[in-house]
Coordinates of all heavy atoms in Angstrom, one line a residue:
M1 N 0.8 -1.2 0.0 CA 0.0 0.0 0.0 C 0.9 1.2 0.0 O 2.0 1.2 0.6 CB -0.9 -0.1 1.2 CG -1.8 1.1 1.3 SD -3.5 0.5 1.6 CE -4.2 1.0 0.1
R2 N 0.4 2.3 -0.6 CA 1.2 3.5 -0.7 C 1.5 4.3 0.6 O 2.3 5.1 0.6 CB 0.5 4.4 -1.7 CG 0.5 3.9 -3.1 CD -0.4 4.7 -4.0 NE -1.7 4.1 -4.0 CZ -2.7 4.5 -4.7 NH1 -2.6 5.5 -5.4 NH2 -3.9 3.8 -4.7
G3 N 0.8 3.9 1.6 CA 0.9 4.7 2.9 C -0.4 4.6 3.6 O -1.4 4.2 3.0
L4 N -0.4 4.9 4.9 CA -1.6 4.8 5.6 C -2.2 6.1 6.2 O -2.6 6.2 7.3 CB -1.4 3.8 6.8 CG -1.1 2.4 6.4 CD1 -0.8 1.5 7.6 CD2 -2.2 1.8 5.6
I5 N -2.1 7.1 5.3 CA -2.6 8.4 5.7 C -4.0 8.6 5.0 O -4.0 8.7 3.8 CB -1.7 9.5 5.3 CG1 -0.3 9.4 5.9 CG2 -2.3 10.9 5.6 CD1 0.7 10.3 5.4
F6 N -5.0 8.5 5.8 CA -6.4 8.5 5.2 C -7.2 9.7 5.7 O -8.4 9.8 5.4 CB -7.1 7.2 5.5 CG -6.5 6.1 4.8 CD1 -5.5 5.4 5.4 CD2 -7.0 5.7 3.6 CE1 -5.0 4.3 4.7 CE2 -6.5 4.7 2.9 CZ -5.4 3.9 3.4
M7 N -6.6 10.7 6.4 CA -7.3 11.8 6.9 C -7.7 12.8 5.8 O -6.8 13.0 4.9 CB -6.6 12.6 8.0 CG -6.3 11.7 9.3 SD -7.8 11.2 10.1 CE -8.3 12.8 10.8
A8 N -8.8 13.3 5.8 CA -9.3 14.3 4.8 C -10.2 15.3 5.5 O -10.6 15.0 6.7 CB -9.9 13.6 3.6
T9 N -10.7 16.3 4.9 CA -11.6 17.2 5.4 C -13.0 16.7 5.2 O -13.4 16.3 4.1 CB -11.5 18.6 4.7 OG1 -10.2 19.1 4.8 CG2 -12.5 19.6 5.3
V10 N -13.8 16.6 6.3 CA -15.1 16.1 6.3 C -16.0 17.2 6.8 O -15.7 17.8 7.9 CB -15.3 14.8 7.2 CG1 -16.8 14.4 7.2 CG2 -14.4 13.7 6.7
S11 N -17.0 17.6 6.1 CA -17.9 18.6 6.5 C -19.4 18.3 6.1 O -19.6 17.4 5.4 CB -17.5 20.0 5.9 OG -17.6 19.9 4.5
G12 N -20.3 19.0 6.7 CA -21.7 18.7 6.4 C -22.5 20.0 6.3 O -22.0 21.1 6.7
I13 N -23.6 19.9 5.7 CA -24.5 21.0 5.5 C -26.0 20.6 5.5 O -26.3 19.5 5.0 CB -24.2 21.8 4.2 CG1 -25.0 23.0 4.0 CG2 -24.4 20.9 3.0 CD1 -24.6 23.9 2.9
F14 N -26.8 21.3 6.1 CA -28.3 21.0 6.1 C -28.7 21.5 4.7 O -28.6 22.6 4.3 CB -29.0 21.8 7.1 CG -28.8 21.3 8.5 CD1 -28.0 22.0 9.4 CD2 -29.3 20.1 8.9 CE1 -27.8 21.5 10.7 CE2 -29.1 19.6 10.2 CZ -28.3 20.3 11.1
E15 N -29.2 20.5 3.9 CA -29.7 20.9 2.6 C -31.0 21.5 2.6 O -31.9 21.1 3.4 CB -29.6 19.6 1.7 CG -28.3 19.0 1.4 CD -27.4 19.9 0.6 OE1 -27.8 21.0 0.1 OE2 -26.2 19.5 0.4
R16 N -31.2 22.4 1.7 CA -32.5 23.2 1.7 C -33.7 22.3 1.5 O -34.8 22.5 2.0 CB -32.4 24.2 0.6 CG -33.6 25.1 0.5 CD -33.4 26.2 -0.6 NE -32.9 25.6 -1.8 CZ -32.5 26.3 -2.8 NH1 -32.6 27.6 -2.8 NH2 -32.0 25.7 -3.9
H17 N -33.6 21.2 0.7 CA -34.7 20.4 0.4 C -34.8 19.1 1.3 O -35.5 18.2 1.0 CB -34.7 20.0 -1.1 CG -34.8 21.1 -2.0 ND1 -35.9 21.9 -2.1 CD2 -33.9 21.7 -2.8 CE1 -35.7 22.9 -3.0 NE2 -34.5 22.8 -3.4
G18 N -34.0 19.1 2.4 CA -34.0 18.1 3.3 C -32.8 17.2 3.3 O -32.1 17.1 2.3
G19 N -32.5 16.6 4.4 CA -31.3 15.8 4.5 C -30.0 16.6 4.9 O -30.0 17.8 5.0
I20 N -29.0 15.8 5.0 CA -27.7 16.4 5.3 C -26.7 16.0 4.2 O -26.6 14.8 3.9 CB -27.1 15.9 6.7 CG1 -28.0 16.5 7.8 CG2 -25.7 16.3 6.9 CD1 -27.6 16.1 9.2
G21 N -26.1 17.0 3.6 CA -25.0 16.7 2.6 C -23.7 16.6 3.3 O -23.3 17.4 4.2
I22 N -23.0 15.5 3.0 CA -21.7 15.2 3.6 C -20.6 15.3 2.6 O -20.7 14.6 1.5 CB -21.7 13.8 4.3 CG1 -22.8 13.7 5.3 CG2 -20.3 13.5 4.8 CD1 -23.0 12.3 5.8
H23 N -19.7 16.2 2.8 CA -18.6 16.4 1.8 C -17.3 15.8 2.4 O -17.0 16.1 3.6 CB -18.4 17.9 1.6 CG -19.6 18.6 1.1 ND1 -19.8 18.9 -0.2 CD2 -20.6 19.2 1.7 CE1 -20.9 19.5 -0.4 NE2 -21.5 19.7 0.8
I24 N -16.6 15.1 1.6 CA -15.2 14.6 1.9 C -14.3 15.2 0.9 O -14.5 15.0 -0.3 CB -15.2 13.1 1.9 CG1 -16.2 12.5 2.8 CG2 -13.7 12.6 2.2 CD1 -16.3 11.0 2.7
D25 N -13.3 15.9 1.3 CA -12.4 16.6 0.4 C -11.0 16.4 0.8 O -10.6 16.3 2.0 CB -12.7 18.1 0.4 CG -12.1 18.8 -0.8 OD1 -11.8 18.2 -1.9 OD2 -11.8 20.0 -0.7
G26 N -10.1 16.2 -0.2 CA -8.7 16.1 0.1 C -8.2 14.6 0.4 O -7.3 14.4 1.1
L27 N -9.0 13.6 -0.2 CA -8.6 12.3 0.0 C -7.2 12.0 -0.6 O -6.9 12.6 -1.6 CB -9.6 11.3 -0.6 CG -11.0 11.2 0.1 CD1 -12.0 10.6 -0.9 CD2 -10.8 10.5 1.4
Q28 N -6.4 11.2 0.1 CA -5.1 10.9 -0.4 C -5.2 10.1 -1.8 O -4.3 10.3 -2.6 CB -4.3 10.0 0.6 CG -2.9 9.7 0.1 CD -2.1 8.9 1.2 OE1 -2.7 8.6 2.2 NE2 -0.9 8.6 0.9
Y29 N -6.2 9.3 -1.9 CA -6.4 8.5 -3.1 C -7.7 8.8 -3.8 O -8.6 9.3 -3.2 CB -6.4 7.0 -2.8 CG -5.2 6.6 -2.0 CD1 -5.3 6.1 -0.7 CD2 -3.9 6.6 -2.5 CE1 -4.2 5.7 0.1 CE2 -2.8 6.3 -1.7 CZ -3.0 5.8 -0.4 OH -1.9 5.5 0.3
P30 N -7.8 8.7 -5.1 CA -9.0 8.9 -5.8 C -10.1 8.0 -5.3 O -9.9 6.9 -4.8 CB -8.7 8.5 -7.3 CG -7.2 8.5 -7.4 CD -6.7 8.2 -6.0
T31 N -11.3 8.5 -5.3 CA -12.5 7.7 -4.7 C -12.6 6.4 -5.4 O -13.1 5.4 -4.8 CB -13.8 8.5 -4.8 OG1 -14.1 8.8 -6.2 CG2 -13.7 9.8 -4.0
K32 N -12.2 6.2 -6.6 CA -12.3 4.9 -7.3 C -11.5 3.9 -6.7 O -11.7 2.7 -6.8 CB -12.0 5.0 -8.8 CG -10.6 5.4 -9.1 CD -10.4 5.6 -10.6 CE -9.0 6.0 -10.9 NZ -7.9 5.2 -10.4
D33 N -10.5 4.3 -5.8 CA -9.6 3.3 -5.1 C -10.3 2.7 -3.9 O -9.8 1.7 -3.3 CB -8.3 3.9 -4.7 CG -7.4 4.2 -5.9 OD1 -7.7 3.8 -7.1 OD2 -6.3 4.8 -5.7
Y34 N -11.4 3.4 -3.4 CA -12.1 2.9 -2.2 C -13.2 2.0 -2.7 O -14.0 2.4 -3.6 CB -12.7 4.1 -1.5 CG -11.6 5.0 -0.9 CD1 -11.0 6.0 -1.7 CD2 -11.3 5.0 0.5 CE1 -10.0 6.8 -1.1 CE2 -10.4 5.8 1.0 CZ -9.7 6.8 0.2 OH -8.8 7.6 0.7
S35 N -13.4 0.9 -2.1 CA -14.5 0.0 -2.4 C -15.8 0.5 -1.8 O -16.8 0.2 -2.4 CB -14.2 -1.4 -1.9 OG -14.0 -1.5 -0.5
S36 N -15.7 1.2 -0.7 CA -16.9 1.8 -0.1 C -16.6 2.9 0.9 O -15.4 3.0 1.3 CB -17.8 0.7 0.6 OG -17.1 0.2 1.7
F37 N -17.6 3.7 1.2 CA -17.5 4.7 2.3 C -18.6 4.4 3.3 O -19.6 3.9 2.9 CB -17.6 6.1 1.7 CG -16.5 6.5 0.8 CD1 -16.5 6.3 -0.5 CD2 -15.4 7.2 1.4 CE1 -15.5 6.7 -1.3 CE2 -14.3 7.5 0.6 CZ -14.4 7.3 -0.8
R38 N -18.3 4.8 4.5 CA -19.4 4.8 5.6 C -19.4 6.1 6.2 O -18.4 6.7 6.5 CB -19.0 3.7 6.6 CG -20.1 3.5 7.7 CD -19.9 2.3 8.5 NE -18.6 2.2 9.2 CZ -18.3 2.6 10.4 NH1 -19.3 3.1 11.1 NH2 -17.1 2.5 10.9
T39 N -20.6 6.6 6.4 CA -20.8 7.9 7.1 C -21.7 7.7 8.3 O -22.5 6.8 8.4 CB -21.4 9.0 6.2 OG1 -22.7 8.5 5.7 CG2 -20.5 9.3 5.0
Q40 N -21.5 8.6 9.3 CA -22.3 8.5 10.5 C -22.6 10.0 10.9 O -21.7 10.8 10.9 CB -21.5 7.9 11.6 CG -22.2 7.9 13.0 CD -21.3 7.1 14.0 OE1 -21.2 5.9 13.9 NE2 -20.8 7.8 15.0
I41 N -23.8 10.2 11.3 CA -24.3 11.5 11.8 C -24.8 11.3 13.2 O -25.6 10.5 13.5 CB -25.5 12.0 10.9 CG1 -24.9 12.2 9.4 CG2 -26.0 13.3 11.4 CD1 -26.0 12.5 8.5
S42 N -24.2 12.2 14.1 CA -24.6 12.1 15.5 C -25.1 13.5 15.9 O -24.6 14.5 15.4 CB -23.4 11.8 16.4 OG -22.9 10.5 16.0
Y43 N -26.0 13.5 16.9 CA -26.6 14.8 17.4 C -26.8 14.6 18.9 O -27.5 13.6 19.3 CB -27.9 15.1 16.7 CG -28.6 16.3 17.2 CD1 -28.0 17.5 17.2 CD2 -29.9 16.1 17.7 CE1 -28.7 18.6 17.7 CE2 -30.6 17.2 18.2 CZ -30.0 18.5 18.2 OH -30.6 19.5 18.7
R44 N -26.2 15.5 19.7 CA -26.3 15.4 21.1 C -25.9 14.0 21.7 O -26.4 13.5 22.6 CB -27.7 15.7 21.6 CG -28.1 17.1 21.2 CD -29.5 17.5 21.7 NE -29.4 17.7 23.1 CZ -30.4 18.1 23.9 NH1 -31.6 18.2 23.4 NH2 -30.2 18.3 25.2
G45 N -24.8 13.5 21.1 CA -24.2 12.2 21.5 C -25.0 11.0 21.1 O -24.6 9.9 21.4
V46 N -26.0 11.1 20.3 CA -26.8 10.0 19.8 C -26.6 9.8 18.3 O -26.7 10.8 17.5 CB -28.3 10.2 20.1 CG1 -29.1 9.0 19.5 CG2 -28.5 10.4 21.6
V47 N -26.2 8.6 17.9 CA -26.1 8.3 16.5 C -27.4 8.3 15.8 O -28.4 7.6 16.2 CB -25.4 7.0 16.2 CG1 -25.3 6.6 14.7 CG2 -24.0 7.0 16.8
R48 N -27.6 9.2 14.8 CA -28.9 9.4 14.1 C -29.0 8.6 12.8 O -30.0 8.3 12.3 CB -29.2 10.8 13.9 CG -29.2 11.7 15.1 CD -30.5 11.3 16.0 NE -30.6 12.2 17.1 CZ -31.7 12.5 17.7 NH1 -32.8 12.1 17.2 NH2 -31.7 13.3 18.8
S49 N -27.8 8.4 12.2 CA -27.8 7.7 10.9 C -26.4 7.2 10.6 O -25.4 7.8 10.9 CB -28.2 8.7 9.8 OG -28.1 8.1 8.5
V50 N -26.4 6.0 10.1 CA -25.2 5.3 9.5 C -25.5 4.8 8.2 O -26.5 4.1 8.0 CB -24.7 4.2 10.4 CG1 -23.5 3.5 9.8 CG2 -24.4 4.6 11.8
R51 N -24.7 5.2 7.2 CA -25.0 4.8 5.8 C -23.7 4.3 5.2 O -22.6 4.7 5.5 CB -25.5 6.0 5.0 CG -26.7 6.7 5.4 CD -28.0 6.0 5.0 NE -28.2 5.8 3.6 CZ -28.9 6.7 2.9 NH1 -29.4 7.8 3.3 NH2 -29.1 6.4 1.6
N52 N -23.9 3.3 4.2 CA -22.8 2.8 3.4 C -23.0 3.3 2.0 O -24.1 3.3 1.5 CB -22.7 1.3 3.5 CG -22.3 0.8 4.9 OD1 -21.3 1.2 5.4 ND2 -23.2 0.0 5.5
W53 N -21.9 3.7 1.3 CA -22.0 4.3 0.0 C -20.9 3.7 -0.9 O -19.8 3.3 -0.5 CB -21.7 5.8 0.1 CG -22.4 6.5 1.1 CD1 -22.0 6.7 2.4 CD2 -23.7 7.2 1.0 NE1 -23.0 7.5 3.1 CE2 -24.0 7.8 2.2 CE3 -24.6 7.4 -0.1 CZ2 -25.1 8.5 2.4 CZ3 -25.7 8.1 0.1 CH2 -26.0 8.7 1.4
S54 N -21.2 3.7 -2.2 CA -20.2 3.4 -3.2 C -20.1 4.7 -4.0 O -21.1 5.4 -4.3 CB -20.6 2.3 -4.1 OG -20.7 1.1 -3.4
Y55 N -18.9 5.1 -4.4 CA -18.7 6.3 -5.1 C -17.5 6.1 -6.0 O -16.4 5.9 -5.5 CB -18.5 7.4 -4.1 CG -18.6 8.8 -4.7 CD1 -19.8 9.5 -4.6 CD2 -17.5 9.5 -5.2 CE1 -19.9 10.8 -5.1 CE2 -17.6 10.8 -5.7 CZ -18.8 11.4 -5.7 OH -19.0 12.7 -6.2
Y56 N -17.6 6.3 -7.3 CA -16.5 6.0 -8.2 C -16.3 7.3 -9.0 O -17.1 7.7 -9.8 CB -16.8 4.8 -9.1 CG -17.1 3.6 -8.3 CD1 -18.3 3.1 -8.0 CD2 -16.0 2.9 -7.8 CE1 -18.5 2.0 -7.3 CE2 -16.2 1.8 -7.0 CZ -17.4 1.3 -6.8 OH -17.6 0.2 -6.0
S57 N -15.1 7.8 -8.8 CA -14.7 9.0 -9.5 C -13.2 9.0 -9.6 O -12.5 8.4 -8.7 CB -15.2 10.3 -8.8 OG -14.6 11.4 -9.3
S58 N -12.6 9.8 -10.5 CA -11.2 9.9 -10.5 C -10.7 11.0 -9.6 O -9.5 11.2 -9.3 CB -10.7 10.2 -11.9 OG -11.3 11.4 -12.4
G59 N -11.7 11.8 -9.0 CA -11.3 12.9 -8.1 C -11.0 12.4 -6.7 O -11.3 11.3 -6.3
N60 N -10.5 13.3 -5.9 CA -10.2 13.1 -4.5 C -11.2 13.7 -3.5 O -10.8 14.1 -2.5 CB -8.8 13.6 -4.2 CG -7.7 12.8 -5.0 OD1 -7.8 12.6 -6.2 ND2 -6.8 12.3 -4.2
H61 N -12.4 13.7 -4.0 CA -13.5 14.2 -3.1 C -14.8 13.4 -3.4 O -14.9 12.7 -4.4 CB -13.7 15.7 -3.4 CG -14.0 16.0 -4.8 ND1 -13.1 16.1 -5.8 CD2 -15.2 16.1 -5.5 CE1 -13.6 16.3 -7.0 NE2 -14.9 16.3 -6.8
A62 N -15.7 13.5 -2.4 CA -17.0 12.8 -2.6 C -18.1 13.6 -1.9 O -17.8 14.4 -1.0 CB -16.9 11.4 -2.0
Y63 N -19.3 13.5 -2.3 CA -20.5 14.1 -1.7 C -21.6 13.0 -1.6 O -21.8 12.3 -2.5 CB -21.0 15.2 -2.6 CG -22.3 15.8 -2.1 CD1 -22.3 16.7 -1.1 CD2 -23.5 15.4 -2.7 CE1 -23.5 17.2 -0.6 CE2 -24.7 15.9 -2.2 CZ -24.7 16.8 -1.2 OH -25.9 17.3 -0.7
F64 N -22.2 13.0 -0.4 CA -23.3 12.0 -0.2 C -24.4 12.8 0.4 O -24.2 13.7 1.3 CB -22.8 11.0 0.8 CG -21.6 10.2 0.4 CD1 -20.4 10.4 1.1 CD2 -21.6 9.4 -0.7 CE1 -19.2 9.8 0.8 CE2 -20.4 8.7 -1.0 CZ -19.2 8.9 -0.3
L65 N -25.6 12.6 0.0 CA -26.8 13.2 0.6 C -27.5 12.1 1.5 O -28.0 11.1 1.0 CB -27.8 13.7 -0.5 CG -29.1 14.2 0.1 CD1 -28.8 15.4 1.0 CD2 -30.0 14.6 -1.1
D66 N -27.5 12.3 2.8 CA -28.1 11.4 3.7 C -29.5 11.9 4.0 O -29.7 12.8 4.8 CB -27.3 11.4 5.0 CG -27.8 10.3 6.0 OD1 -29.0 9.9 5.8 OD2 -27.1 9.8 6.8
D67 N -30.4 11.4 3.2 CA -31.8 11.8 3.4 C -32.5 11.1 4.5 O -33.7 11.3 4.8 CB -32.6 11.7 2.1 CG -32.5 10.4 1.4 OD1 -32.0 9.5 2.0 OD2 -33.1 10.2 0.3
N68 N -31.8 10.2 5.2 CA -32.4 9.6 6.4 C -32.5 10.6 7.5 O -33.2 10.4 8.5 CB -31.5 8.4 6.9 CG -31.6 7.2 6.1 OD1 -32.5 7.0 5.3 ND2 -30.7 6.3 6.3
S69 N -31.8 11.7 7.4 CA -31.7 12.7 8.4 C -32.7 13.9 8.2 O -32.3 15.0 8.5 CB -30.3 13.2 8.5 OG -29.3 12.2 8.7
T70 N -33.9 13.6 7.8 CA -34.8 14.6 7.5 C -35.9 14.8 8.6 O -36.6 15.8 8.6 CB -35.6 14.3 6.2 OG1 -36.2 13.0 6.3 CG2 -34.6 14.3 5.0
S71 N -35.9 13.9 9.6 CA -37.0 13.9 10.6 C -36.5 14.7 11.8 O -37.3 14.8 12.8 CB -37.4 12.5 10.9 OG -36.3 11.8 11.5
W72 N -35.4 15.3 11.9 CA -34.9 16.0 13.1 C -33.9 17.1 12.6 O -33.4 17.0 11.5 CB -34.2 15.0 14.1 CG -33.0 14.3 13.4 CD1 -33.1 13.2 12.7 CD2 -31.7 14.8 13.4 NE1 -31.8 12.9 12.2 CE2 -31.0 13.8 12.6 CE3 -31.0 15.9 13.9 CZ2 -29.6 13.9 12.4 CZ3 -29.7 16.0 13.7 CH2 -29.0 15.0 12.9
H73 N -33.7 18.0 13.4 CA -32.7 19.1 13.1 C -32.2 19.7 14.4 O -32.8 19.4 15.5 CB -33.2 20.1 12.2 CG -34.4 20.8 12.8 ND1 -35.7 20.2 12.9 CD2 -34.6 22.1 13.3 CE1 -36.5 21.1 13.5 NE2 -35.8 22.2 13.7
N74 N -31.1 20.4 14.4 CA -30.6 21.0 15.6 C -31.2 22.3 15.9 O -30.6 23.4 15.6 CB -29.0 21.1 15.5 CG -28.6 22.1 14.5 OD1 -29.2 22.4 13.6 ND2 -27.4 22.6 14.8
D75 N -32.3 22.3 16.5 CA -33.0 23.6 16.8 C -32.6 24.1 18.2 O -33.1 25.2 18.6 CB -34.5 23.4 16.8 CG -35.0 22.3 17.7 OD1 -34.2 21.6 18.4 OD2 -36.2 22.0 17.8
D76 N -31.7 23.5 18.9 CA -31.3 24.0 20.2 C -29.8 24.5 20.2 O -29.2 24.8 21.2 CB -31.5 22.9 21.3 CG -30.7 21.7 21.0 OD1 -29.9 21.6 20.0 OD2 -30.8 20.7 21.8
G77 N -29.2 24.6 19.0 CA -27.9 25.1 18.9 C -26.7 24.1 19.1 O -25.6 24.5 19.0
N78 N -27.1 22.9 19.5 CA -26.0 21.9 19.6 C -25.5 21.5 18.2 O -26.3 21.3 17.3 CB -26.6 20.6 20.3 CG -26.7 20.9 21.8 OD1 -25.8 21.2 22.5 ND2 -28.0 20.8 22.3
P79 N -24.2 21.2 18.1 CA -23.7 20.9 16.8 C -24.1 19.4 16.4 O -24.3 18.6 17.2 CB -22.2 21.0 16.9 CG -22.0 20.8 18.4 CD -23.2 21.4 19.1
V80 N -24.2 19.2 15.1 CA -24.4 17.9 14.5 C -23.0 17.5 14.0 O -22.3 18.2 13.4 CB -25.4 17.9 13.3 CG1 -25.4 16.6 12.6 CG2 -26.7 18.3 13.8
T81 N -22.6 16.2 14.4 CA -21.3 15.7 14.0 C -21.4 14.7 12.8 O -22.3 13.8 12.9 CB -20.6 15.0 15.2 OG1 -20.5 16.0 16.2 CG2 -19.2 14.5 14.8
V82 N -20.6 14.9 11.8 CA -20.6 14.0 10.7 C -19.2 13.4 10.6 O -18.2 14.0 10.9 CB -20.9 14.7 9.3 CG1 -22.3 15.2 9.3 CG2 -19.9 15.8 9.0
E83 N -19.2 12.0 10.5 CA -17.9 11.3 10.4 C -17.9 10.4 9.2 O -18.9 10.0 8.7 CB -17.7 10.4 11.7 CG -17.6 11.2 12.9 CD -17.4 10.4 14.1 OE1 -18.5 9.9 14.7 OE2 -16.3 10.1 14.5
A84 N -16.7 10.1 8.7 CA -16.6 9.2 7.5 C -15.4 8.3 7.7 O -14.4 8.5 8.3 CB -16.3 10.1 6.3
W85 N -15.6 7.1 7.1 CA -14.6 6.0 7.0 C -14.6 5.6 5.5 O -15.6 5.7 4.8 CB -15.0 4.8 7.8 CG -15.0 5.0 9.3 CD1 -14.0 4.7 10.2 CD2 -16.0 5.7 10.1 NE1 -14.3 5.0 11.4 CE2 -15.6 5.6 11.4 CE3 -17.2 6.2 9.8 CZ2 -16.3 6.2 12.5 CZ3 -18.0 6.8 10.9 CH2 -17.5 6.7 12.2
G86 N -13.4 5.1 5.1 CA -13.3 4.5 3.7 C -12.7 3.2 3.8 O -11.8 2.9 4.7
T87 N -13.0 2.3 2.8 CA -12.5 1.0 2.8 C -11.6 0.8 1.5 O -12.1 1.1 0.4 CB -13.6 -0.1 2.7 OG1 -14.4 0.0 3.9 CG2 -13.1 -1.5 2.7
I88 N -10.4 0.4 1.8 CA -9.4 0.1 0.7 C -8.8 -1.3 0.9 O -8.4 -1.5 2.1 CB -8.3 1.2 0.6 CG1 -8.9 2.5 0.2 CG2 -7.2 0.7 -0.4 CD1 -7.9 3.6 0.0
N89 N -8.8 -2.1 -0.1 CA -8.3 -3.5 0.0 C -8.8 -4.2 1.2 O -8.1 -4.9 1.9 CB -6.7 -3.4 0.1 CG -6.1 -2.9 -1.2 OD1 -6.7 -3.1 -2.2 ND2 -5.0 -2.3 -1.1
G90 N -10.1 -4.1 1.5 CA -10.7 -4.8 2.6 C -10.6 -4.3 4.0 O -11.1 -4.8 4.9
S91 N -9.8 -3.2 4.1 CA -9.6 -2.6 5.5 C -10.3 -1.2 5.5 O -10.2 -0.4 4.6 CB -8.1 -2.4 5.8 OG -7.5 -3.7 5.9
E92 N -11.0 -1.0 6.6 CA -11.7 0.3 6.8 C -10.8 1.3 7.6 O -10.2 0.9 8.6 CB -13.0 0.1 7.5 CG -13.8 1.4 7.6 CD -15.2 1.1 8.3 OE1 -15.2 0.9 9.5 OE2 -16.2 1.2 7.6
Y93 N -10.7 2.5 7.1 CA -9.9 3.5 7.7 C -10.7 4.8 8.0 O -11.6 5.2 7.2 CB -8.8 3.9 6.8 CG -7.8 2.8 6.5 CD1 -8.0 2.0 5.3 CD2 -6.8 2.5 7.3 CE1 -7.2 1.0 5.0 CE2 -5.9 1.4 7.0 CZ -6.1 0.7 5.9 OH -5.3 -0.4 5.6
Y94 N -10.5 5.3 9.2 CA -11.2 6.6 9.6 C -10.6 7.7 8.7 O -9.4 7.9 8.6 CB -10.9 6.8 11.0 CG -11.7 8.0 11.6 CD1 -13.0 7.9 11.8 CD2 -11.0 9.2 11.9 CE1 -13.7 9.0 12.3 CE2 -11.7 10.3 12.4 CZ -13.1 10.2 12.6 OH -13.8 11.2 13.2
I95 N -11.6 8.5 8.1 CA -11.2 9.6 7.3 C -11.2 10.9 8.1 O -10.3 11.7 8.0 CB -12.1 9.7 6.1 CG1 -11.9 8.5 5.2 CG2 -11.8 11.0 5.3 CD1 -12.9 8.4 4.0
G96 N -12.2 11.2 8.9 CA -12.3 12.4 9.6 C -13.7 12.7 10.1 O -14.6 12.0 9.9
S97 N -13.8 13.9 10.7 CA -15.1 14.4 11.2 C -15.2 15.9 11.0 O -14.2 16.6 10.9 CB -15.3 13.9 12.6 OG -14.5 14.6 13.5
G98 N -16.5 16.3 11.1 CA -16.7 17.8 11.1 C -18.0 18.0 11.8 O -18.8 17.1 12.0
N99 N -18.3 19.3 12.1 CA -19.5 19.7 12.8 C -20.3 20.6 11.9 O -19.8 21.4 11.2 CB -19.2 20.4 14.1 CG -18.7 19.4 15.2 OD1 -19.1 18.3 15.2 ND2 -17.9 19.9 16.1
I100 N -21.6 20.5 12.1 CA -22.5 21.5 11.5 C -23.1 22.2 12.7 O -23.7 21.6 13.6 CB -23.7 20.8 10.7 CG1 -23.2 19.8 9.7 CG2 -24.6 21.9 10.0 CD1 -24.3 19.0 9.1
G101 N -22.9 23.5 12.7 CA -23.4 24.3 13.9 C -24.5 25.1 13.8 O -25.3 25.6 13.3

C-alpha cells in the first residue's frame, strides 16, 4: 500500500430540500480506489444515521446526501457531527469528522 494516511476534510450542510449533505475533500487516493465509504451522523451524543456508500470518480472528493436525516434538526444550537470512513483493500480507515453548527 502507498501509505496509511487517510485523513481528509469532512464537513456537512443542512440541505435546503431536506437531509444532510456530507462532503469529503482532500482524500489521499481517488475515490475509485475505495471499495466503499461509511458515514455517521450524531446529534447530542446519539447516532442518528449510519450509511454505506459506493462512489466512483477519479477525483479526490466525494459528496453524499443522507436523506435519512430529515426527521430531526438541531433547533437548540447543539452541533451535529458528521464522520466518515473509507475501505481500501478490505480494510476500513477513519477519514475524519466535522460539525454542522
Side-chain angles (χ1 to χ4, degrees):
M1 181 129 246
R2 293 171 264 184
L4 296 176
I5 300 170
F6 290 88
M7 296 298 287
T9 302
V10 178
S11 60
I13 185 170
F14 289 106
E15 294 292 357
R16 181 175 47 186
H17 299 293
I20 292 178
I22 300 168
H23 300 267
I24 302 173
D25 195 27
L27 289 165
Q28 182 178 2
Y29 307 113
T31 59
K32 64 181 177 57
D33 290 355
Y34 294 80
S35 58
S36 65
F37 292 90
R38 180 168 60 94
T39 59
Q40 176 176 295
I41 298 174
S42 302
Y43 175 60
R44 299 182 76 179
V46 177
V47 174
R48 300 292 183 148
S49 179
V50 176
R51 301 279 302 267
N52 292 302
W53 313 87
S54 295
Y55 195 93
Y56 300 100
S57 168
S58 59
N60 291 52
H61 58 274
Y63 172 81
F64 307 108
L65 176 61
D66 187 336
D67 54 5
N68 285 347
S69 303
T70 57
S71 62
W72 59 273
H73 61 288
N74 68 334
D75 57 359
D76 60 3
N78 287 299
V80 173
T81 302
V82 294
E83 295 180 275
W85 292 260
T87 300
I88 293 182
N89 294 331
S91 296
E92 185 176 71
Y93 299 95
Y94 185 72
I95 295 173
S97 68
N99 288 329
I100 309 170

